[in-house]
Amino acid sequence: MMVGMEIWVNPACSKCRSALSLLDAEGVRYTVRRYLEDPPTAAEVEEVLGKLGLEPWDITRLGERQARELGMAEWPRTVEERGRWISALVAHPVLIQRPIITAEERAVVGRGEEAVRQMLEE
């Protein structure tokens, strides 16, 4: 069984609650991070992006009010703008897609049972 599994959740999110229920049903040990109360640092966002193999715009909830106010849908998705995106995610953690499950060198955005189960495969 994997060690060091962490799940970033918003308790109000049904997908987060579903992911937690599945992990519990499978007897998985994990740490919960309520990332709205305990926002990630830029370094932590970078680390998670590396594990996901994604860019910051790939995990940004563009439908959120803050994203619309910032005009993020129009922001360039380039290497030069990457830091701007990460800074926005750190400043407004509600913009981070959820739940994010990390373990060892892997991570998934656990928005469905299949994605969560990917983390259970070794």
Side-chain angles (χ1 to χ4, degrees), residues 1-5 29 103-104 106 118-122:
M1 189 59 63
M2 274 178 236
V3 295
M5 186 177 284
R29 293 175 52 143
E104 298 162 355
R106 301 188 309 144
Q118 284 178 16
M119 288 304 290
L120 302 179
E121 299 169 2
E122 297 199 63

Side-chain angles (χ1 to χ4, degrees), residues 5-108:
M5 186 177 284
E6 181 175 80
I7 181 169
W8 293 8
V9 301
N10 172 353
C13 169
S14 64
K15 301 251 187 246
C16 293
R17 291 191 305 270
S18 294
L20 291 170
S21 292
L22 177 58
L23 294 175
D24 289 343
E26 294 293 328
V28 176
R29 293 175 52 143
Y30 57 87
T31 302
V32 171
R33 179 171 187 171
R34 293 179 178 210
Y35 70 96
L36 298 179
E37 299 166 18
D38 181 16
T41 64
E44 289 172 317
V45 171
E46 285 276 9
E47 180 182 354
V48 165
L49 288 169
K51 289 179 179 184
L52 288 168
L54 297 173
E55 293 295 339
W57 44 86
D58 296 325
I59 65 164
T60 300
R61 298 171 57 85
L62 293 174
E64 293 288 337
R65 178 183 51 80
Q66 291 90 336
R68 290 191 307 275
E69 289 173 357
L70 292 169
M72 293 179 78
E74 307 305 317
W75 288 8
R77 290 164 169 81
T78 62
V79 172
E80 296 79 18
E81 292 291 318
R82 196 170 191 274
R84 180 182 186 194
W85 284 85
I86 290 170
S87 293
L89 294 175
V90 170
H92 308 282
V94 72
L95 299 177
I96 299 172
Q97 200 58 258
R98 61 189 182 247
I100 293 179
I101 305 168
T102 64
E104 298 162 355
E105 299 303 313
R106 301 188 309 144
V108 297

